[in-house]
Amino acid sequence: MNDLIYLDNAATTRTKPEVVEKMLPYFTENFGNPSAIYDFAARNKKAINDSRQIVAKALNADMRDIYFTSGGTESDNWALVAIAENYASKGKHIITTKIEHHAVLHTCQYLEKQRGFEVTYLDVDESGILDISKLESAIRPDTILISVMFANNEIGTIQPIAEIGALARERDIVFHTDAVQAFGHVPIDVETMNIDLLSASGHKFGGPKGVGILYARNGINIKSFMHGGAQERNRRPGTENVPAIVGLGEAVRIATSHMAENAEKTRKVRDYIIDDILADVDHCTLNGHREKRLPNNINMSFNFIEGESLLIMLDMEGICASSGSACTSGAVEPSHVLQAIGLSEEMAKGSVRMTLDENISLEDAKKVCNKLKEIINRLRSMSPAYKNM
């Protein structure tokens, strides 16, 4: 592991040692069920609410509006299905974009096919940004929900969330954002951004897997997504995963305490890699907006190569990267996100995503760039199309 250069932090991050240390007592010493009435268990209820308060502070939210879930996928599903069920009397039209995570897209497809809702999937521009005027034009009298991700998991583009939120609030439409990639990495204020529902996942910013949050603004009518208990104020039944919730809270505390410095550090390394590759490699392109992107995200397409071959050869050099969302690994079809921003199938299949953390040094970046260029040259030397160009 010492020689490993891990560039797939959008898929999952390493759980921080401080987070693990904070979690350990809740597996062994403080093992009580938080729903029990005796003091031993009440300590665990307090630990849960301490984490709830940390998350709420990070979002500028009321802690009573934070619900713990199993992760971003559950939170997305819960948000969309709950609004569809509880607001159907007002209308059955939902607006989202073509570049959402499949946790949103597949839930929208379920609502269309199984529940009779109509969903408008909006285009984005070549950098992945939603045009506010197109969103406004898509709104109908029966629109009950707008769901737009805060930042894209593949290309890193950050959406104009505050503008979307203001429009939704003005039109009395519920606004949900999938903030799984953004939370813990960029500032989010649910009040100033007029966000009604927000999804996030612990393992994207140094927390454990299997735990996430749904923020639901007070007054937004959401009912239980599951049934069987009174936990999470009768909204999310099941015995709470106390160690994971404690770990998530600690990860949020660490991430928000060092957000600005970590963002600045990863942004510098990110920009070094982007500039070096664009300068030295022909027939390549940066995917996503150059400035309005997550500080740790690099997504590039290389013509005349297969991205899968490039990833395998990088792996042989001890460099972990990906071709896009971890949830679609193994998929034969090119990325729906890259197709939505106008890439050809060939360019989409020649794409690589590299997502950094604050531990990636400039020396690591130089090694990555050198290996990447070396492998691309090797692969292109075997490409008849490149030779005959």
Side-chain angles (χ1 to χ4, degrees), residues 260-331:
E261 61 188 271
N262 286 344
E264 180 64 21
K265 183 176 181 180
T266 54
R267 192 180 290 112
K268 285 181 179 178
V269 177
R270 177 200 73 184
D271 289 346
Y272 174 87
I273 295 174
I274 291 172
D275 293 340
D276 188 73
I277 296 301
L278 288 177
D280 288 354
V281 180
D282 59 1
H283 302 285
C284 74
T285 184
L286 175 69
N287 299 316
H289 199 281
R290 185 64 176 84
E291 287 82 32
K292 297 175 184 177
R293 70 187 303 126
L294 293 171
N296 70 337
N297 178 285
I298 303 166
N299 189 304
M300 306 189 83
S301 292
F302 304 96
N303 210 349
F304 307 109
I305 68 164
E306 285 287 337
E308 185 176 353
S309 300
L310 177 56
L311 292 175
I312 291 170
M313 294 175 78
L314 283 171
D315 184 34
M316 293 171 67
E317 298 290 345
I319 300 169
C320 299
S322 72
S323 57
S325 172
C327 302
T328 56
S329 61

Side-chain angles (χ1 to χ4, degrees), residues 80-376:
L80 270 62
V81 172
I83 296 303
E85 288 182 345
N86 298 327
Y87 288 75
S89 61
K90 294 180 61 178
K92 302 190 76 172
H93 180 235
I94 296 169
I95 300 174
T96 189
T97 78
K98 292 181 179 178
I99 65 167
E100 299 299 307
H101 189 277
H102 283 120
V104 168
L105 292 179
H106 288 173
T107 305
C108 285
Q109 291 162 13
Y110 159 77
L111 291 171
E112 286 181 294
K113 295 175 183 178
Q114 303 296 327
R115 301 293 187 91
F117 283 79
E118 186 176 348
V119 181
T120 297
Y121 300 90
L122 293 175
D123 290 316
V124 293
D125 67 16
E126 66 278 1
S127 63
I129 292 181
L130 175 64
D131 186 329
I132 295 295
S133 64
K134 290 183 179 179
L135 172 61
E136 189 169 13
S137 298
I139 293 174
R140 307 183 330 200
D142 61 338
T143 304
I144 58 170
L145 174 66
I146 295 170
S147 181
V148 177
M149 67 196 325
F150 202 107
N152 187 264
N153 54 303
E154 293 191 35
I155 60 175
T157 296
I158 298 174
Q159 298 293 346
I161 294 298
E163 294 176 60
I164 297 169
L167 177 61
R169 185 64 54 86
E170 176 189 322
R171 299 297 185 89
D172 194 27
I173 299 168
V174 177
F175 175 41
H176 166 256
T177 186
D178 175 344
V180 166
Q181 291 296 328
F183 183 54
H185 298 283
V186 295
I188 300 176
D189 187 320
V190 296
E191 288 298 323
T192 61
M193 294 178 171
N194 290 305
I195 296 169
D196 296 312
L197 296 158
L198 177 144
S199 307
S201 188
H203 72 107
K204 303 295 187 177
F205 50 88
K209 298 174 181 65
V211 64
I213 65 152
L214 176 66
Y215 160 76
R217 181 187 297 277
N218 182 39
I220 297 298
N221 184 15
I222 61 165
K223 296 178 182 176
S224 297
F225 187 53
M226 302 184 294
H227 307 279
Q231 290 87 353
E232 293 296 282
R233 300 179 302 291
N234 294 301
R235 295 285 182 87
R236 205 274 184 176
T239 302
E240 297 94 337
N241 186 350
V242 181
I245 291 170
V246 168
L248 182 145
E250 181 67 4
V252 172
R253 187 193 66 77
I254 294 169
T256 52
S257 298
H258 303 282
M259 185 181 294
E261 61 188 271
N262 286 344
E264 180 64 21
K265 183 176 181 180
T266 54
R267 192 180 290 112
K268 285 181 179 178
V269 177
R270 177 200 73 184
D271 289 346
Y272 174 87
I273 295 174
I274 291 172
D275 293 340
D276 188 73
I277 296 301
L278 288 177
D280 288 354
V281 180
D282 59 1
H283 302 285
C284 74
T285 184
L286 175 69
N287 299 316
H289 199 281
R290 185 64 176 84
E291 287 82 32
K292 297 175 184 177
R293 70 187 303 126
L294 293 171
N296 70 337
N297 178 285
I298 303 166
N299 189 304
M300 306 189 83
S301 292
F302 304 96
N303 210 349
F304 307 109
I305 68 164
E306 285 287 337
E308 185 176 353
S309 300
L310 177 56
L311 292 175
I312 291 170
M313 294 175 78
L314 283 171
D315 184 34
M316 293 171 67
E317 298 290 345
I319 300 169
C320 299
S322 72
S323 57
S325 172
C327 302
T328 56
S329 61
V332 176
E333 294 298 315
S335 159
H336 71 285
V337 174
L338 298 182
Q339 289 182 307
I341 63 173
L343 264 65
S344 67
E345 183 172 334
E346 181 183 13
M347 285 295 281
K349 287 187 174 181
S351 299
V352 171
R353 180 186 70 179
M354 295 175 281
T355 42
L356 322 174
D357 69 7
E358 66 275 13
N359 297 311
I360 300 299
S361 65
L362 192 58
E363 288 69 31
D364 292 329
K366 291 176 181 177
K367 178 181 178 182
V368 169
C369 289
N370 290 336
K371 291 298 180 181
L372 195 59
K373 287 182 278 190
E374 177 186 312
I375 293 169
I376 290 170

